Amino acid sequence: MQEEQLTVSVWRGQGQDGHYENFQVPRRTSQTVLDVVTHIQRHLDPDLGFRFACRVGMCGSCAMTVNGVARWTCRTHVQKVVGTDNTLQIAPLANLPHIRDLVTDMRQFFDKWVKPEGRFVGKSNRHQEFATVKPDSVERQHANQGIECIGCGVCYSSCDVVTQRPDYLGPAALNRAWTLVNDERDTRKLERLAAVAGDAGCHACHTQGSCTLRCPKQLTPTASIAGLKRLSARAAMKGEI
Amino acid sequence: MKQAMDGRNRRHLSYWAFWVHRISGFALAIFLPIHFTLLAQALHGAKGLDEGLVWTQNPLIKIAEWGLVSLLALHLAGGVRLLLIEFAPWRGLRGAWVAGAFGFALATGLAFALSLIG
Amino acid sequence: MNDSPRAQARRWYLQRISAMVLAILVLVHLVIMVYAVRGGLSGAEILARTQGNAWLAVYYALFVLACAVHVPTGLANIAVEWAHWPASRALLMARGMALLLLVTGWRAVYAVFTGGAT
């Protein structure tokens, strides 16, 4: 029996010399887009560059642009995204410098993560009592809403403001900052609010909502950024930052 | 060199709401100085104002007025949605508000159109 | 021209506060417009309502002020993001627009309040 074939367009090449290349891949039950990419690399073109690790939706390494939308390829079933003519288009993540084929340079993403005081800075040490944080406090619930982020870059890749403002910190970095601002053990709250305020920070967000819509972990960077907008604007009006 | 997202990434309600809000805001921003300048003709009394308003009798202008009123209603309702997202407790991207904004703009536009004709 | 993150955050805050003010003022304005425009609107009809009406003058003066605060920020964003203007030029344009709206707007308020009689 003739096997159903997918026509897969994959972005190849480096930088300016990029182009789409077509491959015929056999369609299988419960096939994921990562399965498709893996098949191409193993059986059709060993030169294809792409990233993956856990392949079970925990690490976020396999994020790519599938039919124009940023997704985790290991968690995207082909049958969910394939066109009526059995076509698929796979490209690297947007808004990031391109290395080769489906691989991008994630350093800018992580630099922006660290930049707005993205590190937790506490005041106790091992010789002191544990901090007792009420799990149902408003701040802790805000923080819990955002801490599951694994830095996959899907939100960053989906954001138009990131495309249009090169300085913009982006949804993931701002979401991270929000979880720290709401961590009562952290000591750098005001410095962090100063770092996220302004047109390179939270105030450039236009609530387009692509980040919240696309986040594979159903996080809500839009909500986190809204919180930062409020807190940093009030601090700015009071002259605290 | 960076890849850019194309239109496929933007086909969702919240993005359309952003786009409509921006376009309507821009149109209103252009309109306002014209609106103020026309009204200032009142410095020459009712006659002066009427002279300034005479070209608004043009049916195309009437349609433009209806358009602006509808855009204003749209911008207002969309704006309230944004204020809720930014200042009220988080309840998602408030898709119902987007639908409601269009309904409100349609109703306002209709009311205005009926007033113009009636 | 101060463009520190603090200044930018303040501009955002004022734009949102003016938005809240405008939400109410615009709603009232839409109601007035739909009501007043019935059967057409002449200069005399406008002035009959506004001339010597201090409350209306205060209302519209506040309206103009809120517009002058609210409109420029959005325009500056469009200039930077869609027209790729440098931030300094966008800020200058925004300040200019604020001034334009204040001058033409308050002039219009004065015009309809006095109705040509000084």
Side-chain angles (χ1 to χ4, degrees):
Chain A
M1 194 173 86
Q2 188 73 13
E3 208 173 36
E4 225 186 318
Q5 297 280 318
L6 293 167
T7 306
V8 188
S9 268
V10 182
W11 186 260
R12 303 301 303 277
Q14 241 160 319
Q16 306 277 47
D17 303 320
H19 60 279
Y20 280 103
E21 204 176 306
N22 281 0
F23 297 94
Q24 296 296 312
V25 175
R27 196 165 168 180
R28 302 258 139 84
T29 325
S30 301
Q31 193 179 37
T32 65
V33 176
L34 183 60
D35 290 334
V36 169
V37 174
T38 310
H39 176 95
I40 296 172
Q41 194 272 329
R42 280 185 190 168
H43 303 294
L44 303 174
D45 189 344
D47 250 353
L48 176 63
F50 65 102
R51 280 206 189 98
F52 79 99
C54 76
R55 68 202 180 4
V56 292
M58 287 190 68
C59 72
S61 305
C62 67
M64 300 175 207
T65 307
V66 180
N67 291 350
V69 168
R71 294 173 173 278
W72 287 354
T73 51
C74 72
R75 286 297 231 192
T76 303
H77 278 216
V78 167
Q79 74 187 47
K80 200 169 173 221
V81 292
V82 72
T84 44
D85 43 0
N86 267 354
T87 56
L88 259 187
Q89 191 191 63
I90 308 174
L93 281 181
N95 292 341
L96 289 163
H98 187 226
I99 297 179
R100 184 172 77 81
D101 296 345
L102 298 168
V103 182
T104 57
D105 186 343
M106 299 279 291
R107 280 179 295 187
Q108 172 195 99
F109 174 81
F110 290 114
D111 285 345
K112 286 184 179 179
W113 177 282
V114 174
K115 196 161 160 222
E117 302 272 339
R119 287 200 182 94
F120 171 82
V121 179
K123 56 182 180 291
S124 352
N125 56 43
R126 70 185 69 190
H127 304 295
Q128 286 160 340
E129 287 296 309
F130 288 117
T132 47
V133 178
K134 282 205 162 73
D136 53 0
S137 74
V138 171
E139 286 84 16
R140 193 62 234 165
Q141 288 187 56
H142 282 320
N144 288 344
Q145 181 63 18
I147 57 176
E148 299 288 340
C149 175
I150 55 173
C152 69
V154 163
C155 62
Y156 188 80
S157 178
S158 304
C159 178
D160 262 12
V161 182
V162 170
T163 314
Q164 285 157 357
R165 288 181 190 258
D167 290 342
Y168 182 52
L169 291 169
L174 291 169
N175 180 69
R176 167 71 175 162
W178 176 242
T179 63
L180 290 171
V181 156
N182 280 285
D183 193 327
E184 61 184 67
R185 302 164 299 169
D186 183 82
T187 56
R188 306 276 298 169
K189 183 169 176 173
L190 277 179
E191 289 85 351
R192 193 168 292 112
L193 287 178
V196 301
D199 296 342
C202 59
H203 295 110
C205 165
H206 295 309
T207 324
Q208 292 163 349
S210 299
C211 56
T212 299
L213 187 67
R214 309 272 181 233
C215 176
K217 303 208 70 166
Q218 278 86 54
L219 301 183
T220 53
T222 312
S224 306
I225 293 169
L228 287 174
K229 282 173 175 171
R230 289 191 300 270
L231 287 186
S232 59
R234 277 195 203 124
M237 294 308 282
K238 283 196 215 164
E240 284 171 356
I241 60 168
Chain B
M1 210 202 86
K2 296 179 190 181
Q3 282 263 328
M5 283 303 211
D6 60 36
R8 289 173 292 179
N9 180 45
R10 302 187 184 110
R11 274 187 213 136
H12 62 94
L13 202 59
S14 204
Y15 195 92
W16 292 328
F18 153 76
W19 204 86
V20 166
H21 198 73
R22 179 163 274 195
I23 297 297
S24 61
F26 185 71
L28 289 162
I30 301 297
F31 161 74
L32 268 181
I34 303 170
H35 185 52
F36 292 159
T37 308
L38 275 178
L39 283 169
Q41 296 289 83
L43 283 171
H44 306 295
K47 208 153 157 276
L49 200 47
D50 276 325
E51 269 163 33
L53 290 173
V54 74
W55 67 291
T56 64
Q57 302 305 318
N58 184 335
L60 279 173
I61 300 293
K62 296 274 180 221
I63 295 173
E65 280 177 9
W66 165 82
L68 278 162
V69 167
S70 303
L71 286 177
L72 183 57
L74 211 50
H75 195 80
L76 166 61
V80 173
R81 169 180 170 263
L82 286 177
L83 289 174
L84 287 173
I85 289 174
E86 289 181 342
F87 290 97
W90 175 254
R91 275 198 239 293
L93 290 167
R94 301 189 186 251
W97 263 92
V98 180
F102 273 99
F104 176 66
L106 267 172
T108 310
L110 191 61
F112 183 74
L114 286 173
S115 268
L116 270 181
I117 302 167
Chain C
M1 218 170 280
N2 185 10
D3 210 31
S4 63
R6 182 209 275 200
Q8 292 159 1
R10 285 185 163 176
R11 271 205 296 281
W12 176 89
Y13 190 68
L14 289 171
Q15 208 247 9
R16 292 318 196 253
I17 298 295
S18 65
M20 294 175 197
V21 169
L22 281 169
I24 301 165
L25 297 181
V26 165
L27 203 55
V28 170
H29 189 56
L30 282 172
V31 170
I32 293 176
M33 281 305 107
V34 168
Y35 176 71
V37 149
R38 286 170 317 158
L41 195 57
S42 72
E45 280 172 337
I46 295 176
L47 287 176
R49 284 180 224 273
T50 63
Q51 198 167 10
N53 189 335
W55 282 113
L56 219 48
V58 166
Y59 166 81
Y60 280 121
L62 187 61
F63 204 150
V64 168
L65 182 61
C67 284
V69 173
H70 186 76
V71 170
T73 307
L75 285 178
N77 283 338
I78 296 174
V80 167
E81 291 171 11
W82 286 7
H84 305 295
W85 282 16
S88 52
R89 201 206 298 175
L91 199 55
L92 196 62
M93 180 271 296
R95 298 262 160 101
M97 189 64 182
L99 203 60
L100 178 69
L101 288 170
L102 267 179
V103 166
T104 56
W106 278 343
R107 184 165 164 261
V109 174
Y110 178 76
V112 299
F113 179 66
T114 59
T118 30

